Amino acid sequence: MELSNLKPKKGARHAKKRIGRGPGSGHGKTAGRGEKGQKSRSGFSRMRGFEGGQMPLHRRLPKRGFTNIFKTEHAVVNLSDLERFDNGATVDEAALRKAGLVKGKNDGIKVLGDGKLSKKLTVHAAKFSVSARKQIEAAGGSCQEIA
C-alpha cells in the first residue's frame, strides 16, 4: 500500500448534488427551491433572527440598561503572578505580555493583592489595589502609576 493508491472505502463518498442541470438530473427546472416565493429568488438572503414574518425575539423583548462607551477595561494581574520575575526586575506591560500574563486589548493593568510577593520589584501599572501596594513596598519594591 502506497500513498499514491489510497482510496476511500466504497460508498464512503458520493457525488455532489448538481442542481439546475436539466430534467434528467432530477434537480432541474426549479433546482430544489420549490415554486414561487422569496426563497426561490436569486440573491435571497434572510436576515439574522428572521422568524418567518413573526416579530423577531430581539424586537419583542424590552430594551433595558445602559452601555457606557467610555468604560475602561483593565487587565488584572495578581501578586502571585509577579513572583515569576527576577529579584530587582522592572515589571511593565511589555514584560507582562512577554510572560503571557496579559493578552488582548485593554486600557492598562491593575495589580491586585492576591498571593504573596517575596521579591523586590519595580512595578509600572495603571492601578494598584491598596493591599498590592502595601505588599510590594513591604518587599522593598516600588509602585509607579502610569496614566
Side-chain angles (χ1 to χ4, degrees):
M1 181 184 290
E2 314 250 325
L3 280 176
S4 59
N5 58 19
L6 284 178
K7 284 187 181 155
K9 201 172 177 182
K10 187 87 172 143
R13 308 210 12 112
H14 44 92
K16 154 180 141 349
K17 184 197 285 192
R18 297 184 69 227
I19 56 172
R21 290 292 178 270
S25 69
H27 302 288
K29 194 177 173 247
T30 54
R33 289 171 175 257
E35 293 293 326
K36 299 177 202 153
Q38 196 174 18
K39 292 199 310 198
S40 72
R41 313 295 185 205
S42 70
F44 167 73
S45 96
R46 182 184 291 128
M47 72 166 218
R48 275 188 332 161
F50 182 71
E51 295 185 28
Q54 174 175 299
M55 186 61 66
L57 184 67
H58 66 89
R59 290 187 60 197
R60 290 198 303 266
L61 295 176
K63 304 293 174 271
R64 285 189 49 87
F66 166 76
T67 303
N68 183 0
I69 60 168
F70 302 107
K71 180 182 177 187
T72 55
E73 219 38 64
H74 286 91
V76 173
V77 176
N78 283 304
L79 287 181
S80 56
D81 300 328
L82 299 181
E83 196 64 38
R84 69 178 68 191
F85 292 99
D86 297 326
N87 203 9
T90 301
V91 180
D92 57 356
E93 187 172 352
L96 291 168
R97 282 190 186 279
K98 191 174 179 187
L101 294 170
V102 174
K103 293 181 175 116
K105 215 173 96 177
N106 48 56
D107 302 310
I109 293 161
K110 182 163 184 176
V111 181
L112 301 181
D114 188 31
K116 297 272 181 255
L117 184 68
S118 59
K119 295 176 182 171
K120 179 181 173 181
L121 299 173
T122 305
V123 185
H124 299 274
K127 291 187 172 199
F128 293 89
S129 71
V130 176
S131 60
R133 188 182 292 276
K134 275 184 191 167
Q135 281 197 58
I136 291 168
E137 288 168 355
S142 65
C143 302
Q144 293 183 353
E145 282 197 21
I146 52 174

